Amino acid sequence: MINKITILNKILLTVLVFLLIITGFSRCYNTNHSHSEDSWETFLYSNLGGISQHTLERNALPWKFAATALILYYNNKEGLDISLKSLSTIYKKFGFLYPTKIENVYSSSILKDNMPLGIVRGTTYLAGIFPVEGINVGCASCHVGTSYGEDGLPAKEVWAGQPNTSINFELYLNEMFNAMAYSMNQDSEFFKNTINKLFPEMSLLERFTINRLLLNPIKKRVVDLQKTINRPVPYPAGGPGLTNGVAALKYQLKTINRKQFDPNEAALTSIPDISSRILRSSLLYDGVYAKNQNRFYEKRLDNISTEVIKDHSFLVSIFTVPTMGQSFGKAIELQPQIDNVLSTIYTEYQPKKFPGKADLELAEQGRIAYNENCQSCHGYYAGKLEDLTLVSFPNKLVPWKDILTDSTRFSRMDEKTAKIINSSEYSDHINAKQTNGYVGTILDGIWVTAPYLHNGSVPTLWHLFYPEERPSKFLIGGHMLDYERVGIAFKNDEEGFLNDYLNYPSNYIPFSNPVIYDTSLPGCSNRGHEFEFSNLNDGEKTALIEYLKLL
């Protein structure tokens, strides 16, 4: 009887493998979790087609496999229970958020099934037959941030559109890789039994998909990586509040050596608040993406064409290539969805007001200092101090020789990569170009976006204004805020440097794993943007900080 069953299993497996071969393993269909079509819901929860055979070979992961691997790995590493409830503890380490409420957006769904905000799910069918539930990172992983109270302490609520200054993709990717490597070294039957116990509702067909079709390819991929770079990607993937979109894009386009880790591919950028983006004539810190060659010109709020939203929706859709592993062809098909999202964000979104105390008399003096020293690059704000609005933005590209901040970001966006983009499906909608400089940033909501400069290398506005005091190392991730210096809160400088880096206040427990930001590493220099403060005295700097709190 046992022999007959074994023979039948072999016949079934042969038939299924044959089906995969003749279909090229390529027919995939998506079914997304049900959320309303409201654009904020799309922004918060949609996988934007990022669960497919194509993305599973790049950025996406089979959910039940990945969850089981993480749980087993952290059971061994930290003694966490082999339970789905352990996932929240694990994901919080990486800076993913589990809010009780989204303060500025009504949402019919917050979280479910132990999933953090920013991890999106969907089911794809391999060869149109074999289901697998996958996960990928969505918009909310970067662009929904922790709310802070009037004391600078993090709250359980979040603000949609604010940067997540604690999300750490470097830690997330490396720990996921370590978890998979650990799990692949365990007894295969034990691993399969653990998945079944964690996900008893899993269908027999998905169980077959994971056990018979995915386990071996995943194991081979992990072993290949262990033999070469011994990490998931051949570049630094960021840090708390930092992303590396340039290297991630080059990885997808194969313009980067995948078999050798290159620490110099550290084109790190700090996640911004999404406010007032309608005033940008190009996108990203170096203005690399624009509608056409005419990429740097002033835009005014009273003279905005409705075409800008359509133009920007094409530019934003290409972000799903590095972040989700989409192909150019699939990414450009997202333009209508993203157009709807941007239409809402560009007309409705407001950054959260500063919750601490601001000295309005000093702030009025700070407005004068800002208009005289900062407006030409960062734009003009009109209105009462309690309700300031950015009404014009110069979109001024500052050549590197004049700003002298870390050059890695713009220099790593090479002409070879730009040429591939310009000759792709996006050729009629995007002009990509290495610009050799940086565009002055929009400062809306700056009080909550620390650390500062485009690479997040300066922890507070005070340190930014006093370049000689900028620390070479400081903690970041899961931090509280300092409303006096405006930025990350530390012990006083003398105490904070006891361990060779600025440390958090005593008794403060961070909500994610903090890491040390080291400004000596490639892409992390804290120099530059110094001359601009040389003509300001101490009183003017203090007043300017009070003003910036209110933007």
CSV table of all heavy atoms in Angstrom, one decimal, residues 171-228:
chain,number,residue,atom,x,y,z
A,171,LEU,N,18.6,46.5,8.4
A,171,LEU,CA,18.4,45.5,9.4
A,171,LEU,C,17.4,44.5,9.0
A,171,LEU,O,17.5,43.3,9.2
A,171,LEU,CB,18.0,46.2,10.7
A,171,LEU,CG,17.8,45.2,11.9
A,171,LEU,CD1,19.1,44.5,12.3
A,171,LEU,CD2,17.3,46.0,13.1
A,172,TYR,N,16.3,45.0,8.4
A,172,TYR,CA,15.2,44.1,8.0
A,172,TYR,C,15.7,43.0,7.0
A,172,TYR,O,15.5,41.8,7.1
A,172,TYR,CB,14.0,44.9,7.4
A,172,TYR,CG,12.9,44.1,6.8
A,172,TYR,CD1,12.2,43.1,7.5
A,172,TYR,CD2,12.6,44.3,5.4
A,172,TYR,CE1,11.2,42.4,6.9
A,172,TYR,CE2,11.5,43.6,4.8
A,172,TYR,CZ,10.9,42.6,5.5
A,172,TYR,OH,9.9,41.9,4.9
A,173,LEU,N,16.3,43.5,5.9
A,173,LEU,CA,16.8,42.6,4.9
A,173,LEU,C,17.8,41.6,5.4
A,173,LEU,O,17.8,40.4,5.1
A,173,LEU,CB,17.4,43.4,3.7
A,173,LEU,CG,16.4,44.2,2.9
A,173,LEU,CD1,17.1,45.0,1.8
A,173,LEU,CD2,15.3,43.4,2.3
A,174,ASN,N,18.8,42.1,6.2
A,174,ASN,CA,19.8,41.2,6.7
A,174,ASN,C,19.3,40.2,7.7
A,174,ASN,O,19.7,39.0,7.6
A,174,ASN,CB,20.9,42.0,7.3
A,174,ASN,CG,21.9,42.6,6.3
A,174,ASN,OD1,22.6,41.9,5.6
A,174,ASN,ND2,21.9,43.9,6.2
A,175,GLU,N,18.3,40.6,8.5
A,175,GLU,CA,17.8,39.6,9.5
A,175,GLU,C,16.8,38.6,8.8
A,175,GLU,O,16.8,37.5,9.1
A,175,GLU,CB,17.0,40.4,10.6
A,175,GLU,CG,17.9,41.0,11.6
A,175,GLU,CD,18.7,40.0,12.4
A,175,GLU,OE1,19.8,39.5,11.9
A,175,GLU,OE2,18.3,39.7,13.5
A,176,MET,N,16.2,39.1,7.7
A,176,MET,CA,15.3,38.1,7.0
A,176,MET,C,16.2,37.1,6.3
A,176,MET,O,15.9,35.9,6.2
A,176,MET,CB,14.5,38.9,5.9
A,176,MET,CG,13.5,38.0,5.2
A,176,MET,SD,12.3,37.3,6.2
A,176,MET,CE,11.1,38.7,6.4
A,177,PHE,N,17.4,37.6,5.7
A,177,PHE,CA,18.3,36.7,5.1
A,177,PHE,C,18.9,35.7,6.1
A,177,PHE,O,19.0,34.5,5.9
A,177,PHE,CB,19.5,37.5,4.5
A,177,PHE,CG,20.6,36.6,4.0
A,177,PHE,CD1,20.5,35.9,2.8
A,177,PHE,CD2,21.8,36.6,4.7
A,177,PHE,CE1,21.5,35.1,2.3
A,177,PHE,CE2,22.9,35.8,4.2
A,177,PHE,CZ,22.7,35.1,3.0
A,178,ASN,N,19.2,36.2,7.3
A,178,ASN,CA,19.8,35.3,8.4
A,178,ASN,C,18.7,34.3,8.8
A,178,ASN,O,19.0,33.1,9.1
A,178,ASN,CB,20.2,36.1,9.6
A,178,ASN,CG,21.4,37.0,9.3
A,178,ASN,OD1,22.2,36.7,8.4
A,178,ASN,ND2,21.6,38.1,10.0
A,179,ALA,N,17.5,34.7,8.9
A,179,ALA,CA,16.4,33.8,9.3
A,179,ALA,C,16.2,32.7,8.3
A,179,ALA,O,16.0,31.6,8.6
A,179,ALA,CB,15.1,34.6,9.5
A,180,MET,N,16.2,33.1,7.0
A,180,MET,CA,16.1,32.0,6.0
A,180,MET,C,17.3,31.1,6.0
A,180,MET,O,17.1,29.9,5.8
A,180,MET,CB,16.0,32.7,4.6
A,180,MET,CG,14.6,33.4,4.4
A,180,MET,SD,14.4,34.0,2.7
A,180,MET,CE,12.7,34.4,2.8
A,181,ALA,N,18.5,31.6,6.2
A,181,ALA,CA,19.7,30.8,6.2
A,181,ALA,C,19.6,29.8,7.4
A,181,ALA,O,19.8,28.6,7.3
A,181,ALA,CB,20.9,31.6,6.3
A,182,TYR,N,19.1,30.3,8.5
A,182,TYR,CA,19.0,29.5,9.7
A,182,TYR,C,17.9,28.4,9.5
A,182,TYR,O,18.1,27.2,9.8
A,182,TYR,CB,18.6,30.3,10.9
A,182,TYR,CG,18.2,29.5,12.2
A,182,TYR,CD1,19.2,28.9,13.0
A,182,TYR,CD2,16.9,29.3,12.5
A,182,TYR,CE1,18.9,28.2,14.1
A,182,TYR,CE2,16.5,28.5,13.6
A,182,TYR,CZ,17.5,27.9,14.4
A,182,TYR,OH,17.2,27.2,15.5
A,183,SER,N,16.8,28.8,8.9
A,183,SER,CA,15.7,27.8,8.8
A,183,SER,C,16.0,26.8,7.7
A,183,SER,O,15.6,25.6,7.9
A,183,SER,CB,14.4,28.6,8.3
A,183,SER,OG,14.0,29.5,9.3
A,184,MET,N,16.8,27.1,6.7
A,184,MET,CA,17.1,26.1,5.7
A,184,MET,C,18.1,25.1,6.2
A,184,MET,O,18.3,24.0,5.6
A,184,MET,CB,17.7,26.8,4.5
A,184,MET,CG,16.8,27.7,3.7
A,184,MET,SD,15.4,26.7,2.9
A,184,MET,CE,14.1,26.8,4.1
A,185,ASN,N,18.8,25.4,7.3
A,185,ASN,CA,19.7,24.4,8.0
A,185,ASN,C,19.0,23.5,8.9
A,185,ASN,O,19.6,22.6,9.5
A,185,ASN,CB,20.8,25.2,8.7
A,185,ASN,CG,21.8,25.7,7.7
A,185,ASN,OD1,22.1,25.1,6.6
A,185,ASN,ND2,22.4,26.8,8.0
A,186,GLN,N,17.7,23.8,9.2
A,186,GLN,CA,16.9,22.9,10.1
A,186,GLN,C,16.4,21.7,9.3
A,186,GLN,O,16.3,21.7,8.1
A,186,GLN,CB,15.8,23.7,10.7
A,186,GLN,CG,16.2,25.0,11.4
A,186,GLN,CD,17.3,24.8,12.4
A,186,GLN,OE1,17.2,24.0,13.4
A,186,GLN,NE2,18.4,25.5,12.2
A,187,ASP,N,16.0,20.7,10.1
A,187,ASP,CA,15.3,19.6,9.5
A,187,ASP,C,14.1,20.0,8.7
A,187,ASP,O,13.3,20.7,9.2
A,187,ASP,CB,14.9,18.6,10.6
A,187,ASP,CG,14.2,17.4,10.0
A,187,ASP,OD1,14.9,16.5,9.5
A,187,ASP,OD2,12.9,17.3,10.1
A,188,SER,N,14.0,19.6,7.4
A,188,SER,CA,13.0,20.0,6.5
A,188,SER,C,11.6,19.7,7.0
A,188,SER,O,10.6,20.5,6.9
A,188,SER,CB,13.2,19.5,5.1
A,188,SER,OG,13.2,18.1,5.1
A,189,GLU,N,11.5,18.5,7.6
A,189,GLU,CA,10.2,18.1,8.1
A,189,GLU,C,9.7,18.9,9.3
A,189,GLU,O,8.6,19.3,9.4
A,189,GLU,CB,10.2,16.6,8.5
A,189,GLU,CG,10.2,15.7,7.3
A,189,GLU,CD,9.1,15.9,6.3
A,189,GLU,OE1,7.9,16.0,6.7
A,189,GLU,OE2,9.4,16.0,5.1
A,190,PHE,N,10.7,19.3,10.1
A,190,PHE,CA,10.4,20.2,11.3
A,190,PHE,C,9.9,21.5,10.8
A,190,PHE,O,8.9,22.1,11.3
A,190,PHE,CB,11.6,20.3,12.1
A,190,PHE,CG,11.5,21.4,13.2
A,190,PHE,CD1,10.7,21.2,14.3
A,190,PHE,CD2,12.2,22.6,13.1
A,190,PHE,CE1,10.5,22.2,15.3
A,190,PHE,CE2,12.1,23.6,14.1
A,190,PHE,CZ,11.3,23.4,15.2
A,191,PHE,N,10.6,22.1,9.7
A,191,PHE,CA,10.2,23.4,9.2
A,191,PHE,C,8.8,23.3,8.6
A,191,PHE,O,7.9,24.2,8.8
A,191,PHE,CB,11.2,23.8,8.1
A,191,PHE,CG,10.9,25.2,7.6
A,191,PHE,CD1,11.4,26.3,8.4
A,191,PHE,CD2,10.3,25.4,6.4
A,191,PHE,CE1,11.1,27.6,7.9
A,191,PHE,CE2,10.1,26.7,6.0
A,191,PHE,CZ,10.5,27.8,6.7
A,192,LYS,N,8.5,22.2,7.8
A,192,LYS,CA,7.2,22.1,7.2
A,192,LYS,C,6.1,21.9,8.3
A,192,LYS,O,5.0,22.5,8.2
A,192,LYS,CB,7.2,20.9,6.3
A,192,LYS,CG,8.1,21.0,5.1
A,192,LYS,CD,8.1,19.7,4.3
A,192,LYS,CE,9.1,19.8,3.1
A,192,LYS,NZ,9.2,18.5,2.4
A,193,ASN,N,6.4,21.2,9.3
A,193,ASN,CA,5.4,21.0,10.4
A,193,ASN,C,5.2,22.3,11.1
A,193,ASN,O,4.0,22.6,11.6
A,193,ASN,CB,5.9,19.9,11.4
A,193,ASN,CG,5.9,18.5,10.8
A,193,ASN,OD1,5.1,18.3,9.9
A,193,ASN,ND2,6.7,17.6,11.3
A,194,THR,N,6.2,23.1,11.3
A,194,THR,CA,6.1,24.4,12.0
A,194,THR,C,5.2,25.4,11.2
A,194,THR,O,4.3,26.0,11.7
A,194,THR,CB,7.4,25.1,12.2
A,194,THR,OG1,8.3,24.2,13.0
A,194,THR,CG2,7.3,26.4,13.0
A,195,ILE,N,5.4,25.4,9.8
A,195,ILE,CA,4.5,26.2,9.0
A,195,ILE,C,3.0,25.8,9.2
A,195,ILE,O,2.1,26.6,9.3
A,195,ILE,CB,4.9,26.1,7.5
A,195,ILE,CG1,6.2,26.8,7.2
A,195,ILE,CG2,3.8,26.8,6.6
A,195,ILE,CD1,6.6,26.8,5.8
A,196,ASN,N,2.8,24.5,9.1
A,196,ASN,CA,1.5,23.9,9.3
A,196,ASN,C,0.8,24.3,10.6
A,196,ASN,O,-0.4,24.6,10.6
A,196,ASN,CB,1.5,22.4,9.1
A,196,ASN,CG,1.9,22.0,7.7
A,196,ASN,OD1,1.8,22.8,6.7
A,196,ASN,ND2,2.4,20.8,7.5
A,197,LYS,N,1.6,24.3,11.7
A,197,LYS,CA,1.1,24.6,13.0
A,197,LYS,C,0.8,26.1,13.1
A,197,LYS,O,-0.2,26.5,13.7
A,197,LYS,CB,2.1,24.2,14.1
A,197,LYS,CG,2.2,22.7,14.3
A,197,LYS,CD,3.2,22.4,15.3
A,197,LYS,CE,3.3,20.9,15.5
A,197,LYS,NZ,4.3,20.5,16.5
A,198,LEU,N,1.6,27.0,12.5
A,198,LEU,CA,1.4,28.4,12.5
A,198,LEU,C,0.3,28.8,11.6
A,198,LEU,O,-0.4,29.8,11.9
A,198,LEU,CB,2.7,29.1,12.1
A,198,LEU,CG,3.9,29.1,13.1
A,198,LEU,CD1,5.1,29.7,12.4
A,198,LEU,CD2,3.6,29.8,14.4
A,199,PHE,N,0.1,28.1,10.5
A,199,PHE,CA,-0.9,28.5,9.5
A,199,PHE,C,-1.8,27.3,9.2
A,199,PHE,O,-1.8,26.7,8.1
A,199,PHE,CB,-0.3,29.0,8.3
A,199,PHE,CG,0.5,30.2,8.4
A,199,PHE,CD1,1.9,30.1,8.6
A,199,PHE,CD2,0.0,31.5,8.5
A,199,PHE,CE1,2.7,31.3,8.7
A,199,PHE,CE2,0.7,32.6,8.7
A,199,PHE,CZ,2.1,32.5,8.8
A,200,PRO,N,-2.6,26.8,10.2
A,200,PRO,CA,-3.5,25.7,10.0
A,200,PRO,C,-4.5,25.9,8.9
A,200,PRO,O,-5.0,24.9,8.4
A,200,PRO,CB,-4.1,25.4,11.4
A,200,PRO,CG,-4.1,26.8,12.0
A,200,PRO,CD,-2.8,27.4,11.6
A,201,GLU,N,-4.8,27.1,8.6
A,201,GLU,CA,-5.8,27.4,7.6
A,201,GLU,C,-5.3,27.3,6.2
A,201,GLU,O,-6.0,27.4,5.2
A,201,GLU,CB,-6.4,28.8,7.8
A,201,GLU,CG,-5.5,30.0,7.4
A,201,GLU,CD,-4.3,30.3,8.3
A,201,GLU,OE1,-4.2,29.6,9.3
A,201,GLU,OE2,-3.6,31.2,8.0
A,202,MET,N,-4.0,27.1,6.0
A,202,MET,CA,-3.3,27.1,4.7
A,202,MET,C,-3.9,25.9,3.9
A,202,MET,O,-4.0,24.8,4.4
A,202,MET,CB,-1.8,26.9,4.9
A,202,MET,CG,-1.1,26.9,3.5
A,202,MET,SD,0.7,27.1,3.7
A,202,MET,CE,1.1,25.8,5.0
A,203,SER,N,-4.2,26.2,2.6
A,203,SER,CA,-4.8,25.2,1.8
A,203,SER,C,-3.8,24.1,1.4
A,203,SER,O,-2.6,24.4,1.5
A,203,SER,CB,-5.3,25.8,0.5
A,203,SER,OG,-4.3,26.3,-0.3
A,204,LEU,N,-4.2,23.0,1.0
A,204,LEU,CA,-3.4,21.9,0.6
A,204,LEU,C,-2.5,22.3,-0.6
A,204,LEU,O,-1.3,22.0,-0.7
A,204,LEU,CB,-4.2,20.6,0.3
A,204,LEU,CG,-4.8,19.9,1.5
A,204,LEU,CD1,-5.7,18.8,1.0
A,204,LEU,CD2,-3.7,19.4,2.4
A,205,LEU,N,-3.2,23.1,-1.5
A,205,LEU,CA,-2.4,23.5,-2.7
A,205,LEU,C,-1.3,24.5,-2.4
A,205,LEU,O,-0.2,24.4,-3.0
A,205,LEU,CB,-3.4,24.0,-3.7
A,205,LEU,CG,-2.9,24.1,-5.2
A,205,LEU,CD1,-2.4,22.7,-5.6
A,205,LEU,CD2,-4.1,24.5,-6.1
A,206,GLU,N,-1.6,25.4,-1.5
A,206,GLU,CA,-0.5,26.4,-1.1
A,206,GLU,C,0.6,25.6,-0.4
A,206,GLU,O,1.8,25.9,-0.5
A,206,GLU,CB,-1.0,27.5,-0.3
A,206,GLU,CG,0.1,28.5,0.0
A,206,GLU,CD,-0.4,29.8,0.7
A,206,GLU,OE1,-1.5,29.8,1.2
A,206,GLU,OE2,0.4,30.8,0.8
A,207,ARG,N,0.2,24.7,0.4
A,207,ARG,CA,1.2,23.9,1.1
A,207,ARG,C,2.1,23.1,0.1
A,207,ARG,O,3.3,23.1,0.3
A,207,ARG,CB,0.5,22.9,2.1
A,207,ARG,CG,1.3,22.2,3.1
A,207,ARG,CD,0.5,21.4,4.1
A,207,ARG,NE,-0.4,22.3,4.8
A,207,ARG,CZ,-1.4,21.9,5.5
A,207,ARG,NH1,-1.7,20.6,5.6
A,207,ARG,NH2,-2.2,22.8,6.1
A,208,PHE,N,1.5,22.6,-0.9
A,208,PHE,CA,2.3,22.0,-2.0
A,208,PHE,C,3.2,23.0,-2.6
A,208,PHE,O,4.4,22.7,-2.9
A,208,PHE,CB,1.3,21.3,-3.0
A,208,PHE,CG,2.0,20.7,-4.1
A,208,PHE,CD1,2.4,19.3,-4.1
A,208,PHE,CD2,2.3,21.4,-5.3
A,208,PHE,CE1,3.1,18.7,-5.1
A,208,PHE,CE2,3.0,20.8,-6.3
A,208,PHE,CZ,3.4,19.5,-6.2
A,209,THR,N,2.6,24.1,-2.9
A,209,THR,CA,3.4,25.2,-3.6
A,209,THR,C,4.7,25.5,-2.8
A,209,THR,O,5.8,25.6,-3.4
A,209,THR,CB,2.6,26.5,-3.8
A,209,THR,OG1,1.4,26.2,-4.5
A,209,THR,CG2,3.4,27.5,-4.5
A,210,ILE,N,4.5,25.7,-1.5
A,210,ILE,CA,5.7,26.1,-0.7
A,210,ILE,C,6.6,24.9,-0.5
A,210,ILE,O,7.9,25.0,-0.7
A,210,ILE,CB,5.2,26.5,0.7
A,210,ILE,CG1,4.4,27.9,0.6
A,210,ILE,CG2,6.4,26.7,1.7
A,210,ILE,CD1,3.8,28.4,1.9
A,211,ASN,N,6.1,23.7,-0.1
A,211,ASN,CA,7.0,22.6,0.2
A,211,ASN,C,7.6,22.0,-1.0
A,211,ASN,O,8.8,21.6,-1.0
A,211,ASN,CB,6.1,21.5,0.9
A,211,ASN,CG,5.7,21.9,2.3
A,211,ASN,OD1,6.2,22.9,2.9
A,211,ASN,ND2,4.6,21.3,2.8
A,212,ARG,N,7.0,21.9,-2.2
A,212,ARG,CA,7.5,21.2,-3.3
A,212,ARG,C,8.1,22.1,-4.4
A,212,ARG,O,9.0,21.7,-5.1
A,212,ARG,CB,6.4,20.3,-4.0
A,212,ARG,CG,5.9,19.2,-3.1
A,212,ARG,CD,7.0,18.2,-2.7
A,212,ARG,NE,6.5,17.1,-1.9
A,212,ARG,CZ,6.0,16.0,-2.5
A,212,ARG,NH1,6.0,15.8,-3.8
A,212,ARG,NH2,5.6,15.0,-1.7
A,213,LEU,N,7.6,23.4,-4.5
A,213,LEU,CA,8.0,24.2,-5.5
A,213,LEU,C,8.9,25.4,-5.1
A,213,LEU,O,9.6,25.9,-5.9
A,213,LEU,CB,6.8,24.8,-6.3
A,213,LEU,CG,5.8,23.8,-6.8
A,213,LEU,CD1,4.6,24.5,-7.5
A,213,LEU,CD2,6.5,22.8,-7.8
A,214,LEU,N,8.8,25.8,-3.9
A,214,LEU,CA,9.6,27.0,-3.4
A,214,LEU,C,10.7,26.7,-2.5
A,214,LEU,O,11.7,27.4,-2.5
A,214,LEU,CB,8.6,28.0,-2.7
A,214,LEU,CG,7.5,28.6,-3.6
A,214,LEU,CD1,6.6,29.5,-2.8
A,214,LEU,CD2,8.2,29.4,-4.8
A,215,LEU,N,10.6,25.7,-1.7
A,215,LEU,CA,11.7,25.5,-0.6
A,215,LEU,C,13.0,25.3,-1.3
A,215,LEU,O,14.0,25.9,-0.9
A,215,LEU,CB,11.3,24.3,0.2
A,215,LEU,CG,10.4,24.5,1.4
A,215,LEU,CD1,10.1,23.2,2.2
A,215,LEU,CD2,10.9,25.6,2.3
A,216,ASN,N,13.2,24.4,-2.3
A,216,ASN,CA,14.5,24.2,-2.9
A,216,ASN,C,15.0,25.4,-3.6
A,216,ASN,O,16.2,25.7,-3.4
A,216,ASN,CB,14.4,22.9,-3.8
A,216,ASN,CG,14.3,21.6,-3.0
A,216,ASN,OD1,14.8,21.6,-1.9
A,216,ASN,ND2,13.8,20.6,-3.6
A,217,PRO,N,14.2,26.1,-4.4
A,217,PRO,CA,14.8,27.3,-5.0
A,217,PRO,C,15.2,28.4,-4.0
A,217,PRO,O,16.3,29.0,-4.2
A,217,PRO,CB,13.6,27.8,-5.9
A,217,PRO,CG,12.8,26.6,-6.2
A,217,PRO,CD,12.9,25.8,-5.0
A,218,ILE,N,14.5,28.5,-2.9
A,218,ILE,CA,14.9,29.5,-1.9
A,218,ILE,C,16.2,29.0,-1.2
A,218,ILE,O,17.1,29.8,-1.0
A,218,ILE,CB,13.8,29.6,-0.8
A,218,ILE,CG1,12.6,30.3,-1.4
A,218,ILE,CG2,14.3,30.4,0.4
A,218,ILE,CD1,11.3,30.4,-0.5
A,219,LYS,N,16.3,27.7,-0.9
A,219,LYS,CA,17.5,27.2,-0.3
A,219,LYS,C,18.7,27.4,-1.2
A,219,LYS,O,19.8,27.9,-0.8
A,219,LYS,CB,17.3,25.7,0.0
A,219,LYS,CG,18.5,25.2,0.8
A,219,LYS,CD,18.2,23.7,1.2
A,219,LYS,CE,19.4,23.2,2.1
A,219,LYS,NZ,19.1,21.8,2.6
A,220,LYS,N,18.5,27.2,-2.5
A,220,LYS,CA,19.6,27.4,-3.5
A,220,LYS,C,20.0,28.8,-3.5
A,220,LYS,O,21.2,29.2,-3.6
A,220,LYS,CB,19.2,26.9,-4.9
A,220,LYS,CG,20.3,27.0,-5.9
A,220,LYS,CD,19.8,26.6,-7.3
A,220,LYS,CE,21.0,26.6,-8.3
A,220,LYS,NZ,21.6,27.9,-8.4
A,221,ARG,N,19.0,29.7,-3.5
A,221,ARG,CA,19.3,31.2,-3.6
A,221,ARG,C,20.1,31.6,-2.3
A,221,ARG,O,21.1,32.3,-2.4
A,221,ARG,CB,18.0,32.0,-3.7
A,221,ARG,CG,18.2,33.5,-3.6
A,221,ARG,CD,19.0,34.0,-4.8
A,221,ARG,NE,19.0,35.5,-4.8
A,221,ARG,CZ,20.0,36.2,-5.3
A,221,ARG,NH1,21.0,35.6,-6.0
A,221,ARG,NH2,20.0,37.5,-5.3
A,222,VAL,N,19.7,31.1,-1.2
A,222,VAL,CA,20.4,31.5,0.1
A,222,VAL,C,21.8,31.0,0.1
A,222,VAL,O,22.8,31.7,0.4
A,222,VAL,CB,19.6,30.9,1.3
A,222,VAL,CG1,20.4,31.0,2.6
A,222,VAL,CG2,18.3,31.7,1.5
A,223,VAL,N,22.0,29.7,-0.3
A,223,VAL,CA,23.3,29.1,-0.4
A,223,VAL,C,24.2,29.9,-1.4
A,223,VAL,O,25.4,30.2,-1.1
A,223,VAL,CB,23.3,27.6,-0.8
A,223,VAL,CG1,24.7,27.1,-1.1
A,223,VAL,CG2,22.6,26.8,0.3
A,224,ASP,N,23.7,30.3,-2.5
A,224,ASP,CA,24.5,31.1,-3.5
A,224,ASP,C,24.9,32.4,-2.9
A,224,ASP,O,26.1,32.8,-3.1
A,224,ASP,CB,23.7,31.3,-4.8
A,224,ASP,CG,23.5,30.0,-5.6
A,224,ASP,OD1,24.2,29.1,-5.3
A,224,ASP,OD2,22.6,30.0,-6.5
A,225,LEU,N,24.0,33.0,-2.2
A,225,LEU,CA,24.4,34.3,-1.5
A,225,LEU,C,25.4,34.1,-0.5
A,225,LEU,O,26.4,34.9,-0.3
A,225,LEU,CB,23.1,35.0,-1.0
A,225,LEU,CG,22.2,35.6,-2.0
A,225,LEU,CD1,20.9,36.0,-1.3
A,225,LEU,CD2,22.8,36.8,-2.7
A,226,GLN,N,25.3,33.0,0.3
A,226,GLN,CA,26.3,32.8,1.4
A,226,GLN,C,27.7,32.6,0.8
A,226,GLN,O,28.7,32.9,1.4
A,226,GLN,CB,25.8,31.5,2.2
A,226,GLN,CG,24.7,31.8,3.1
A,226,GLN,CD,24.2,30.5,3.8
A,226,GLN,OE1,24.1,29.5,3.2
A,226,GLN,NE2,24.0,30.7,5.1
A,227,LYS,N,27.7,32.0,-0.4
A,227,LYS,CA,29.0,31.7,-1.0
A,227,LYS,C,29.7,33.0,-1.6
A,227,LYS,O,30.9,33.0,-1.9
A,227,LYS,CB,28.9,30.7,-2.1
A,227,LYS,CG,28.6,29.3,-1.6
A,227,LYS,CD,28.4,28.3,-2.8
A,227,LYS,CE,28.1,26.9,-2.2
A,227,LYS,NZ,27.9,25.9,-3.4
A,228,THR,N,28.9,34.0,-1.9
A,228,THR,CA,29.4,35.2,-2.5
A,228,THR,C,29.5,36.4,-1.5
A,228,THR,O,30.5,36.6,-0.9
A,228,THR,CB,28.6,35.6,-3.8
A,228,THR,OG1,27.2,35.6,-3.4
A,228,THR,CG2,28.7,34.5,-4.9
